[in-house]
Amino acid sequence: MLIFKQTTDLDSSVYHDALKLRQEVFVKEQNVAEADEIDGESGPLYFVGYSNNEPLVTARVFEETPKTWDIQRVAVKKSVRKRGLGSRIIIEIEDNARKKGIGLLTLGAQDQAQTFYLKLGFKVQGAGFLEAGIKHHRMDKMID
């Protein structure tokens, strides 16, 4: 069973769990410079999915405008990938956004993850760009 917790408190254990997962996935696995990965920490809402108190999946959202959330830093622990946890956290974020009257979810998807987001209803927008040396595209999803 996956239990989601969220926080905006940078002193909380939820934030520290999110940070640890991001460091494992982005810094260690993908060789993203820590300075590029650990930025803009104050302000976003952090989500972490736990199973048996172990953090397995994380993401953060930044309120781009009063009706738009930008989903960032989606990461799944390597040992539990391909089990639907990435989809579960996106659905959790979408459910929270809907309850708060958010109409648009946007994100910068690594090109290798586009198919994942397309299956969740996101659409590619515009030209590609490099972030931390990795090719990305903006993807959006309207929600009601």
Side-chain angles (χ1 to χ4, degrees), residues 35-125:
D36 289 338
E37 173 51 33
I38 312 303
D39 71 337
E41 299 303 294
S42 184
L45 174 61
Y46 294 87
F47 288 81
V48 178
Y50 295 86
S51 180
N52 297 319
N53 294 317
E54 181 182 4
L56 301 177
V57 60
T58 189
R60 72 181 190 186
V61 296
F62 180 79
E63 189 172 346
E64 200 169 273
T65 70
K67 295 285 185 184
T68 302
W69 273 5
D70 182 14
I71 302 171
Q72 305 172 342
R73 308 304 200 272
V74 178
V76 179
K77 188 174 184 81
K78 189 174 187 174
S79 62
V80 294
R81 291 190 189 140
K82 306 291 184 195
R83 296 185 189 175
L85 301 183
S87 296
R88 295 271 308 278
I89 200 164
I90 297 299
I91 292 165
E92 177 75 10
I93 290 168
E94 187 174 327
D95 289 346
N96 275 262
R98 191 175 286 109
K99 288 174 189 169
K100 295 181 181 195
I102 302 300
L104 176 66
L105 297 176
T106 187
L107 52 85
Q110 291 183 9
D111 283 3
Q112 56 89 16
Q114 274 187 26
T115 302
F116 166 77
Y117 291 111
L118 288 167
K119 288 179 183 175
L120 290 168
F122 286 82
K123 295 182 180 4
V124 176
Q125 304 293 323

